[in-house]
Amino acid sequence: LLDYIDEAFFRSNTEMIYLDLSHNSISLIENGAFSNMKYLKELNLEYNKLKYFQKDLFFYIGESNLLYL
């Protein structure tokens, strides 16, 4: 299970469209973790241990249509 996503975790995954990170133990996501994902349309973070995140965390995600928290 994932518990932490650092800034470089998805750096080489620039073409990803759907990302399902649900049902992990993620408690921290660094700012910039999704900054190269300009094509991402759906991000699922449900059922994790996130209590807060910085307001700019999702700023660089392209035309994301769905975000599940």
Side-chain angles (χ1 to χ4, degrees):
L1 294 174
L2 291 174
D3 60 356
Y4 171 78
I5 298 176
D6 69 15
E7 162 194 12
F9 196 83
F10 295 110
R11 187 171 288 153
S12 63
N13 294 310
T14 60
E15 305 284 323
M16 196 172 302
I17 297 171
Y18 302 102
L19 180 57
D20 186 349
L21 296 169
S22 63
H23 299 279
N24 277 285
S25 295
I26 301 169
S27 61
L28 177 64
I29 302 174
E30 283 187 3
N31 250 10
F34 304 114
S35 63
N36 289 336
M37 304 179 104
K38 60 183 177 180
Y39 299 110
L40 191 64
K41 295 202 178 289
E42 187 172 322
L43 175 59
N44 189 344
L45 293 167
E46 291 181 303
Y47 304 104
N48 278 287
K49 296 181 179 180
L50 285 170
K51 295 197 189 298
Y52 68 92
F53 48 85
Q54 294 181 352
K55 65 180 179 178
D56 295 335
L57 178 63
F58 306 109
F59 180 77
Y60 297 103
I61 295 177
E63 299 174 10
S64 185
N65 295 322
L66 297 172
L67 174 62
Y68 302 100
L69 295 173

